[in-house]
């Protein structure tokens, strides 16, 4: 990621791009039924969704973070699909374009990093209610340790840091990139990963930072969901990672929705600075950018390969519903006939480590 985007993307887009993949609390009694151990060793991954119109097909791989830290992903099926495709689409992203030069970026870095702090030197204890702060102190001691600096962060960023450290201690890896693996497989077959990005023009980066500081997210709900639900949600996050690794599509369909993550996303997209900068409908714009790229790929190529975040592939509001409304036939991985699977000359034993 270019230097000018490094910190600002973390400020604006982290909840949308899902470092933590937090989920809503499950119904009472359901947590004890979840697998308590994070899977390891060679795993098949989630399989591929098929989108078809006539004799043109698009294979879609679900992306997810975090994934099991010690997993080795069996990538042979994915590589077969890539090898037989004419285009490989990346997962949808947002890119912030700014005209700030190199030295301007360097001068702006202190402002970028300070924007995650509370205005006027406020501490978490000054902003959140007493019950939430007591839970925060206990969880911080368990997962973060003695870090006084985080006490001055905005509640949203403190919540994300808590999730990041908790995931690490749960043998879950949020740094593993499915996109990087797909890019490497495409390169092996002399193909480039086609980026699918919605571009946000931001000529006044300094003004954007000031807008964030002045009217940043009302992130108390995000913080509340984090500290009250973390230890309920961790088994669910692990279960989702295990289900992705083992290709358990039924489990991926039935696990609860990402409620805490949605609370943090809402804190960003509904904030005054987001509306001022035209970012309040960013998720929809990113989705529409991907849909346009998928339409183009299906129209122009007999076979294409693409990636989508898991939440865009399951549930009533999935992006697949948008494709189905366009007249495409959608087939889930557990419904694709064996004789309709991707074929190409790829060694069956190909694996990729999650590290």
């Amino acid at each position: 990621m270019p230097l000018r985007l490094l910190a600002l993307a973390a400020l604006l887009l982290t909840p949308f791009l899902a470092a933590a993949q937090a989920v809503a609390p499950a119904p009472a009694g359901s947590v004890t039924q979840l697998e308590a151990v994070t899977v390891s060793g060679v795993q098949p991954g989630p399989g591929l969704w098929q989108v078809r119109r006539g004799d043109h097909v698009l294979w879609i791989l679900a992306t997810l973070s975090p994934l099991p830290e010690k997993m080795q992903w069996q990538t042979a099926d994915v590589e077969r699909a890539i090898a037989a495709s004419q285009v490989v689409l990346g997962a949808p992203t947002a890119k912030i374009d700014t005209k700030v030069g190199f030295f301007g970026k360097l001068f702006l870095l202190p402002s970028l990093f300070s924007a995650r702090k509370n205005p006027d030197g406020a501490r978490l204890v000054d902003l959140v209610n007493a019950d939430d702060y007591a839970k925060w102190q206990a969880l911080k001691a368990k997962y973060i340790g003695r870090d006084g600096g985080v006490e001055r962060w905005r509640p949203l960023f403190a919540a994300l840091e808590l999730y990041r450290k908790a995931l690490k201690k749960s043998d879950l890896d949020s740094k593993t990139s499915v996109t990087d693996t797909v890019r490497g497989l495409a390169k092996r077959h002399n193909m480039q990963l086609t980026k699918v990005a919605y571009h946000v023009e931001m000529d006044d980066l300094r003004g954007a930072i000031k807008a964030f500081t002045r009217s940043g997210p009302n992130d108390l709900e995000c913080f509340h969901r984090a500290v009250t639900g973390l230890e309920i949600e961790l088994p669910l996050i692990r279960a989702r990672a295990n289900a992705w690794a083992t290709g358990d599509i039924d489990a991926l369909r039935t696990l609860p929705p990402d409620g805490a993550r949605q609370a943090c996303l809402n804190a960003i997209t509904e904030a005054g600075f987001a509306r001022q900068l035209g970012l309040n409908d960013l998720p929809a714009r990113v989705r529409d950018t991907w849909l346009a790229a998928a339409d183009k790929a299906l129209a122009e190529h007999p076979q294409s390969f693409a990636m989508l975040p898991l939440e865009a592939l399951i549930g009533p509001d999935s992006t697949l519903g948008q494709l189905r409304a366009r007249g495409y036939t959608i087939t889930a991985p557990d419904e694709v006939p064996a004789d309709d699977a991707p074929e190409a000359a790829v060694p069956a034993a190909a694996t990729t480590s999650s590290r």
Side-chain angles (χ1 to χ4, degrees), residues 2-351:
L3 184 61
R4 67 178 178 270
L5 302 182
L6 180 60
L8 192 59
L11 293 176
L12 303 183
L13 305 177
T14 294
F16 176 58
L17 299 180
Q21 293 286 338
V23 294
S30 65
V31 173
T32 57
Q33 301 173 12
L34 296 174
E35 178 60 59
V37 178
T38 305
V39 301
S40 60
V42 178
Q43 301 294 337
L48 299 174
W49 275 258
Q50 184 193 84
V51 180
R52 180 180 290 278
R53 177 182 283 169
D55 57 357
H56 285 205
V57 63
L58 170 69
W59 295 100
I60 302 178
L61 172 68
T63 62
L64 182 67
S65 177
L67 291 174
E69 188 173 39
K70 298 177 182 179
M71 175 194 74
Q72 286 185 307
W73 176 23
Q74 168 59 264
T75 57
D77 287 345
V78 171
E79 186 168 0
R80 275 190 282 269
I82 290 172
S85 295
Q86 292 77 56
V87 64
V88 179
L89 302 179
T93 61
K95 181 180 179 182
I96 300 173
D97 296 330
T98 177
K99 296 179 180 178
V100 176
F102 175 77
F103 289 104
K105 301 167 201 170
L106 294 181
F107 284 116
L108 281 170
L109 280 176
S111 297
L112 286 165
F113 285 109
S114 66
R116 70 180 175 183
K117 296 181 180 179
N118 292 307
D120 303 320
R123 301 174 65 86
L124 286 173
V125 69
D126 304 320
L127 300 174
V128 305
N129 68 54
D131 287 345
D132 283 355
Y133 188 72
K135 293 182 177 70
W136 158 259
Q137 286 185 305
L139 292 169
K140 178 190 170 190
K142 182 175 182 178
Y143 294 112
I144 297 178
R146 303 183 66 174
D147 182 351
V150 73
E151 292 287 341
R152 296 188 181 277
W153 289 10
R154 289 178 178 271
L156 182 146
F157 294 111
L160 291 175
E161 179 68 2
L162 177 63
Y163 265 95
R164 188 179 71 83
K165 292 295 182 67
L167 294 175
K168 183 65 177 175
K169 289 195 174 184
S170 300
D171 296 323
L172 294 165
D173 185 2
S174 59
K175 294 181 180 179
T176 297
S177 173
V178 174
T179 295
D180 288 344
T181 298
V182 169
R183 182 183 292 108
L185 294 174
K187 185 177 181 180
R188 185 181 298 175
H189 294 277
N190 299 314
M191 299 182 67
Q192 295 292 322
L193 186 69
T194 300
K195 295 180 180 179
V196 182
Y198 174 76
H199 290 259
V200 180
E201 297 292 338
M202 192 172 294
D203 295 336
D204 184 9
L205 184 58
R206 189 181 300 275
I209 298 169
K210 289 181 179 179
F212 181 89
T213 303
R214 182 173 57 252
S215 58
N218 180 9
D219 42 9
L220 296 183
E221 178 62 18
C222 168
F223 186 84
H224 172 75
R225 293 294 294 267
V227 298
T228 58
L230 174 63
E231 297 200 311
I232 295 174
E233 294 167 357
L234 275 175
L236 297 169
I237 296 171
R238 184 186 292 112
R240 178 174 278 109
N242 286 348
W244 187 99
T246 59
D248 189 343
I249 303 301
D250 283 340
L252 292 175
R253 290 191 184 107
T254 56
L255 282 167
D258 296 355
R261 176 173 173 262
Q262 187 62 43
C264 294
L265 171 59
N266 290 344
I268 288 287
T269 58
E270 295 175 4
F273 86 95
R275 297 183 183 280
Q276 180 179 336
L277 299 174
L279 302 178
N280 51 303
D281 60 348
L282 184 61
R285 296 186 192 184
V286 173
R287 180 203 63 207
D288 290 346
T289 300
W290 186 91
L291 285 168
D295 278 333
K296 185 173 186 292
L298 278 158
E300 295 180 356
H301 305 290
Q303 181 165 311
S304 308
F305 184 92
M307 291 176 284
L308 272 178
L310 175 63
E311 62 267 25
L313 289 164
I314 58 177
D317 298 323
S318 72
T319 302
L320 292 185
Q322 301 286 328
L323 288 171
R324 191 174 285 110
R326 284 163 152 78
Y328 299 110
T329 300
I330 313 296
T331 308
D334 53 349
E335 299 168 344
V336 175
D339 59 359
D340 200 18
E343 294 184 1
V346 176
T351 61

